[in-house]
Amino acid sequence: ADSLGIPVNSLIAVLSVATLALSLALQNILTNVFSGITLLISRPFVAGDFVEIGGVSGTVKELTIMRTSLDTPDNRLILIPNADVSAAKIVNYSTEPLRRVDLTVTASYDAPTALVKQALLEVMHSDPRVKADPIPFAALSGYNANDIEYTLRCWVDNADYWPAHFALNEAVREAFAKYSIEFSYPHTVVHINKGE
């Protein structure tokens, strides 16, 4: 090129800039490809698993070299670059046969603790999806300004998680009505001192 009269220094500068631009453009692509290969080898999830990736939940539709596709419960398709997937915290809800249902309910301070716990345990024992082992659990878990907080925990088959979750919520309301346990609500107690 020098013998043809083409300035070599300018040609080298142009080629260097072009190479730098190309490498920057390919950086994200290569990162996604290598992340995709890592995910395909390590298999933290497979198609059909319900997962949470970086705060996004859905059923894995497809894992390709470049991206992961999730179908969300509200029928949206979300495509996540594999570089983001491999860097994020992945929670796979489908790998274990059982899943724990955790519910928190509140009741009035006037409701006896033993009665509330009895009602919550009855709710869990009456649902056929709830497993007897591990044993269902109900306990007083906190004191709030206007109510007492109770936690109930039980185990169900993974596929039954959401139906059991919603059914138990509804059954708690019915059990509280049966035992006249009052749900509390925000309120203010005012004391009036009568002058002498």
Side-chain angles (χ1 to χ4, degrees):
D2 192 34
S3 63
L4 292 173
I6 300 172
V8 178
N9 289 340
S10 299
L11 183 62
I12 291 173
V14 168
L15 287 174
S16 297
V17 169
T19 303
L20 178 62
L22 182 62
S23 65
L24 289 175
L26 291 175
Q27 180 179 4
N28 285 341
I29 294 171
L30 292 174
T31 302
N32 282 324
V33 167
F34 287 121
S35 296
I37 291 169
T38 302
L39 290 170
L40 287 168
I41 292 170
S42 63
R43 297 175 64 84
F45 51 80
V46 295
D49 284 355
F50 187 80
V51 297
E52 181 180 327
I53 300 172
V56 178
S57 298
T59 303
V60 178
K61 182 175 182 180
E62 185 180 27
L63 170 61
T64 65
I65 291 292
M66 293 293 292
R67 64 183 54 91
T68 300
S69 306
L70 294 182
D71 280 331
T72 64
D74 58 350
N75 204 27
R76 292 180 297 151
L77 177 65
I78 298 182
L79 304 174
I80 307 173
N82 283 336
D84 293 344
V85 174
S86 63
K89 180 177 88 170
I90 300 170
V91 180
N92 190 335
Y93 293 102
S94 299
T95 56
E96 300 298 325
L98 297 180
R99 187 168 171 194
R100 191 175 77 187
V101 178
D102 293 294
L103 292 179
T104 301
V105 297
T106 57
S108 166
Y109 272 94
D110 296 332
T113 300
L115 183 62
V116 175
K117 288 173 59 176
Q118 176 187 336
L120 295 177
L121 288 169
E122 185 178 294
V123 162
M124 290 184 283
H125 290 303
S126 64
D127 192 312
R129 291 170 288 225
V130 173
K131 302 295 182 186
D133 185 32
I135 298 170
F137 167 84
L140 189 154
S141 54
Y143 298 95
N144 300 323
N146 299 304
D147 50 40
I148 296 178
E149 183 177 281
Y150 295 86
T151 297
L152 62 97
R153 293 181 178 153
C154 58
W155 293 85
V156 297
D157 288 330
N158 202 316
D160 290 334
Y161 177 80
W162 286 112
H165 182 276
F166 293 126
L168 288 170
N169 259 323
E170 291 178 13
V172 166
R173 180 179 171 85
E174 299 302 320
F176 276 24
K178 174 183 172 182
Y179 289 106
S180 300
I181 299 169
E182 182 182 337
F183 285 100
S184 190
Y185 52 87
H187 59 275
T188 303
V189 177
V190 178
H191 297 279
I192 299 174
N193 291 328
K194 295 182 179 179
E196 295 182 11

